[in-house]
Amino acid sequence: MKVSREQAAQNRERIVEAAAQLFRERGFDGIGVADLMKEAGLTHGGFYGHFSSKEELIAEASARALAGSLAVWSQRAERASGDPLSAVAGAYLTRRHRDNPGAGCLLAALGPDVSRQGPLVRRAVTGYVRSAVDLLTKLVPDKSKAARRQRAISTCATLVGAMVLARAVDDRALSQEILNAGLASVKA
């Protein structure tokens, strides 16, 4: 049965949304195309009608997840009273984010895996990192442009690194200590 263009676009959207969540939860290699399509409520055979390869889907799903993270950071900064950089960090370095990788930052969930992906995925991540650094640079107060950019890069690395470490350890107290230390570092 032939589907309309509108239905095809909706199906593609379901696939990308499911993939964005499932890749963050299980890793790029932790879920196959068949299971991913099943999670999206579609048949495995329809995958190649939407994507030429799993890498193409990974790149699009990654870009979608990263754009969502950037939007959240922007909203947090806009709504912040006082110190927007600390507001972004405070919203990022939480137990909720730590415990829900499928709804969180793709870099914190899959950063090391990205380096093993192809150029489409790496390009999506590079674009996000540039945008995140640009946003954070605007939030750093009263320094030269070069100093603000350096602090923005350091802040981005601190946020992602602290979340990776907080998720990696099996001691909840240590995990929380890592999140707290990351936040204190950004606020310093």
Side-chain angles (χ1 to χ4, degrees):
M1 180 169 89
K2 187 98 170 142
V3 298
S4 68
R5 284 190 176 152
E6 183 178 309
Q7 184 61 52
Q10 290 173 357
N11 290 347
R12 183 182 179 97
E13 196 60 29
R14 286 179 24 212
I15 297 165
V16 171
E17 284 298 319
Q21 177 184 342
L22 293 169
F23 288 145
R24 287 177 284 175
E25 287 176 0
R26 302 181 194 175
F28 294 130
D29 295 328
I31 186 161
V33 170
D35 289 332
L36 200 148
M37 292 296 285
K38 183 178 178 182
E39 289 284 333
L42 300 165
T43 63
H44 176 243
F47 177 81
Y48 290 101
H50 295 281
F51 303 96
S52 62
S53 65
K54 187 176 176 185
E55 182 186 3
E56 182 185 350
L57 173 59
I58 290 171
E60 190 169 329
S62 295
R64 173 76 52 84
L66 293 166
S69 291
L70 193 60
V72 168
W73 283 17
S74 293
Q75 291 167 359
R76 294 278 183 206
E78 287 172 13
R79 287 188 284 199
S81 59
D83 181 4
L85 190 63
S86 292
V88 168
Y92 187 93
L93 295 173
T94 64
R95 276 181 261 148
R96 182 175 181 212
H97 184 201
R98 178 196 62 204
D99 296 343
N100 296 292
C105 175
L106 182 114
L107 284 181
L110 296 165
D113 291 342
V114 168
S115 66
R116 296 179 199 91
Q117 296 300 309
L120 292 175
V121 178
R122 302 225 21 221
R123 190 172 309 120
V125 170
T126 299
Y128 165 77
V129 170
R130 284 190 176 117
S131 296
V133 167
D134 288 347
L135 172 65
L136 294 173
T137 298
K138 293 174 188 172
L139 305 181
V140 175
D142 302 326
K143 295 184 179 187
S144 70
K145 185 175 181 178
R148 287 194 322 270
R149 182 169 172 81
Q150 182 178 17
R151 175 139 183 239
I153 291 169
S154 175
T155 297
C156 190
T158 298
L159 294 176
V160 173
M163 187 56 64
V164 169
L165 287 176
R167 286 179 177 162
V169 300
D170 68 354
D171 178 331
R172 286 295 192 191
L174 176 58
S175 178
Q176 188 59 50
E177 190 176 5
I178 292 166
L179 295 176
N180 294 344
L183 184 57
S185 177
V186 171
K187 287 182 174 185

